[in-house]
Amino acid sequence: MSKHANRRLSRLTLGTAACALALSAALPAFAADKGSIGVSVADQKSLFYVAAVEGMKAEAAKLGYDLRIASASNNSSLQIKQVQDLLVQNVKALIFISQDSTAAQAGVKAANKADVPVVAVDEKPEAGAGKLVTYIATDSVKAARDLCTWAFKQMGGKGNIAILRGVLGATAELQRSQGCKEALKEYPDIHVVAEQTANWDETEAYKATQNILTANPKLDAVFGESDAMAMGAAKAAKQAGRDGLIYFGIDGFPTMFTAVKSGLTQATMAQNPYKMGVMAVDDAVAVITGGGKDIKPEQYIDTTLITKDNAGTEKPSTYYGPSADSMQ
Amino acid sequence: MLQSTNATDAAHAGAQESAKERALGLVRLVPGPLIGLVVVIVVLSYLSPYFLTTRNIVNIFSQVSDIGIMAVGAALVIITGGIDLSVGAVLASSLMVNAWLYRYGGVPFPLAVVAGLLFGTAVGFVNGALSTYARIQPFVATLATMSACSGFALFITDGSPITTFPDWYTNITAINVLGVPFEAVILVTIYLITAFWLRYRPSGRALYAVGGNEEVARLSGLDVQRIRVGTYAIAGFLAALAGMIVGSRLDSAQPTAGVNDLLSVIAVVVIGGASLAGGAGSMLGTFIGLLTIGVLRNGMGLLNVSPNLQPVVIGGAIILAVLTDRRSRH
């Protein structure tokens, strides 16, 4: 390619980029007159966050507020910049699902400085890191504790389990591990014979479970700290011809509902991100309109245990919003 | 099997040559990575009673099949002096294209599979075109396509997986041929064909020429740019094929599949003795590198080694392998 053509190509690329920018700036031209609420979310890959944002959108549309949503693709320094950009646009409140405690702290501080009320969802800033209207989340420790207790009862209070952990050090991984450890204290005859990480990923869980099954001829249950990992474990055991094990996960994703119904896996704890999104907008609006004095500083949403008994009657859309039923 | 060096070359020892020198010559014949692999296998067999069981060996082969197929393409690209960072992302995006067409596009499944493979090949072509005709450094070009493909994989379904495929597709990873899992057969076949091509076909040998010295290759009449583009296209196709294996294994297409595979793939190729400077590397070496990583991971899983410590061991293995391999150091 000649130098000349090269220059033409780069000019074309620049032109396209400029057009795209101009277009995206022109898009949210019909802001509702009540003002806008900023939403900063860690990512839009995980179904949990997608569902939370769906809930926010639905509620904001109902109340006539405009939402400005920024997703940070799991990059905490990018998220801090996005929060600052939202604050520059004079949002009246900030709903904040932070990537980690680092981003949380800096984001909350910036919002406090700009006098914008903050509703934190899912990830909590460290204590003393600024002022929050409220913090809305799943009590992951309790969810894991209840789930593991249910499973240990199913096992008759004795036997061997394996635990597949999420990304090490992630808040959800730490809390879910802690919850199951608390349940283990009550059941001295349950032994954890293997503990590996599979980074929330189904393929990694499949491979890790193959090895765990090989090394442990006597295994009664696998706890996947996410639904994807529990399903990967169940499929690996199926392929190895091992049956009669109990597989349980946490999330309550639509695919897991199907798996529990079909008997591939035995249980999950369904979280309620859609409802969290709705509540976050309600609280933000209450504060904007001068109310919200009675909002509790911490609001924990209970999870629901999904087993073969209720997988047929419960609907994924209850937890993950209207679009979830089509994903089964 | 594949032989990396010819035994007769070293066997023409003169009468004056001492026994010590002859012994050293014999040691040099064994590829460096193979010694490491044998040591790892011996140690693990000693530590875990389950390691050398048929079931476990079968598991190791099926566990490495997806990484292994991607590593073939990555090795070819690295031999020509390039690098392909997009393999993991191509795996995810072609898998999602395939699943989406089948589930929401109403395309019959076999056609959807072909479309997925074509998509991967097309991304490979783009990688090749960008890094040759558009003169973008391969690292940068494939970094860009990696980003685009991983985003596209998520965008297609808004991040949710697609599940439940036809039985014949899930059987690919479930059936055995003469006691050997079919995915292992596919894996070894790809290695054998590629090894044959690299060794005995002029078009295969041309890869070493291009990677060794581009100017000389050009002057001797090779169409360097076409060879490069072709190599990237093969890498894209193989990444898509690895995606089909992953989808078949889980009976589900995950948009985040393969996201952590890139570093494993590069590690496999490097442990196998290929040089990132280009012009060196072999399929036998890559296969040994693949087994080394696979055996280490499997063994650490069997021994329930702390998950935090596992990447440390893998890192150490890479350093050791490269240090003991005289040919790939510069």
Side-chain angles (χ1 to χ4, degrees), chain A residues 214, chain B residues 38 40-58 60 295 298-299 302:
Chain A
T214 308
Chain B
V38 170
V40 170
I41 289 177
V42 168
V43 170
L44 286 173
S45 318
Y46 175 74
L47 290 175
S48 169
Y50 302 104
F51 180 73
L52 271 185
T53 54
T54 318
R55 169 95 236 161
N56 194 52
I57 305 291
V58 165
I60 292 174
V295 161
N298 164 273
L302 291 181

Side-chain angles (χ1 to χ4, degrees), chain B residues 121-146:
Chain B
T121 316
V123 176
F125 263 115
V126 171
N127 282 336
L130 288 175
S131 47
T132 53
Y133 300 112
R135 298 214 196 120
I136 302 175
Q137 283 176 326
F139 190 98
V140 180
T142 57
L143 187 70
T145 49
M146 169 176 113

Side-chain angles (χ1 to χ4, degrees), chain B residues 11-96:
Chain B
H12 67 78
Q16 307 94 329
E17 205 178 44
S18 69
K20 186 176 158 193
E21 272 174 351
R22 212 171 321 163
L24 270 176
L26 280 176
V27 168
R28 281 202 194 99
L29 286 184
V30 182
L34 185 59
I35 300 171
L37 176 61
V38 170
V39 169
V40 170
I41 289 177
V42 168
V43 170
L44 286 173
S45 318
Y46 175 74
L47 290 175
S48 169
Y50 302 104
F51 180 73
L52 271 185
T53 54
T54 318
R55 169 95 236 161
N56 194 52
I57 305 291
V58 165
N59 277 353
I60 292 174
F61 273 94
S62 87
Q63 283 167 9
V64 297
S65 59
D66 46 354
I67 305 251
I69 292 171
M70 277 192 275
V72 172
L76 293 177
V77 171
I78 285 172
I79 287 171
T80 60
I83 184 105
D84 187 351
L85 303 180
S86 71
V87 284
V90 170
L91 180 152
S93 51
S94 51
L95 178 58
M96 290 313 287

Side-chain angles (χ1 to χ4, degrees), chain B residues 38-300:
Chain B
V38 170
V39 169
V40 170
I41 289 177
V42 168
V43 170
L44 286 173
S45 318
Y46 175 74
L47 290 175
S48 169
Y50 302 104
F51 180 73
L52 271 185
T53 54
T54 318
R55 169 95 236 161
N56 194 52
I57 305 291
V58 165
N59 277 353
I60 292 174
F61 273 94
S62 87
Q63 283 167 9
V64 297
S65 59
D66 46 354
I67 305 251
I69 292 171
M70 277 192 275
V72 172
L76 293 177
V77 171
I78 285 172
I79 287 171
T80 60
I83 184 105
D84 187 351
L85 303 180
S86 71
V87 284
V90 170
L91 180 152
S93 51
S94 51
L95 178 58
M96 290 313 287
V97 165
N98 161 22
W100 188 89
L101 285 174
Y102 168 65
R103 176 58 38 86
Y104 301 106
V107 178
F109 196 74
L111 276 180
V113 170
V114 171
L117 295 172
L118 281 177
F119 178 85
T121 316
V123 176
F125 263 115
V126 171
N127 282 336
L130 288 175
S131 47
T132 53
Y133 300 112
R135 298 214 196 120
I136 302 175
Q137 283 176 326
F139 190 98
V140 180
T142 57
L143 187 70
T145 49
M146 169 176 113
S147 170
C149 284
S150 53
F152 182 62
L154 287 159
F155 174 76
I156 294 177
T157 59
D158 230 349
S160 54
I162 297 175
T163 56
T164 331
F165 300 118
D167 283 347
W168 64 265
Y169 177 64
T170 49
N171 278 342
I172 292 173
T173 48
I175 53 171
N176 290 343
V177 182
L178 306 173
V180 182
F182 186 52
E183 47 183 325
V185 174
I186 297 175
L187 174 75
V188 173
T189 309
I190 290 173
Y191 271 87
L192 285 173
I193 291 172
T194 315
F196 178 82
W197 178 63
L198 276 180
R199 214 170 160 66
Y200 299 110
R201 305 292 307 160
S203 57
R205 284 208 297 271
L207 265 56
Y208 291 101
V210 170
N213 191 326
E214 193 177 338
E215 208 48 43
V216 171
R218 198 191 316 280
L219 291 173
S220 57
L222 291 172
D223 187 342
V224 171
Q225 297 194 315
R226 235 194 64 204
I227 292 169
R228 284 227 159 104
V229 173
T231 312
Y232 281 101
I234 293 171
F237 170 81
L238 289 172
L241 186 66
M244 303 303 135
I245 299 258
V246 170
S248 154
R249 186 187 289 149
L250 298 172
D251 196 12
S252 104
Q254 307 268 359
T256 51
V259 79
N260 304 322
D261 288 350
L262 171 66
L263 292 178
S264 308
V265 169
I266 305 269
V268 161
V269 178
V270 171
I271 289 180
S275 159
L276 289 179
S282 72
M283 280 301 120
L284 175 64
T286 308
F287 196 69
I288 293 169
L290 175 68
L291 289 183
T292 309
I293 293 265
V295 161
L296 271 176
R297 287 228 172 107
N298 164 273
M300 289 191 290

Side-chain angles (χ1 to χ4, degrees), chain A residues 168 196 202 204 211 235, chain B residues 63 250 254 260 298 308 310:
Chain A
L168 299 170
Q196 293 293 330
E202 195 173 345
E204 285 188 46
N211 298 337
K235 286 167 185 172
Chain B
Q63 283 167 9
L250 298 172
Q254 307 268 359
N260 304 322
N298 164 273
N308 293 328
Q310 295 193 12

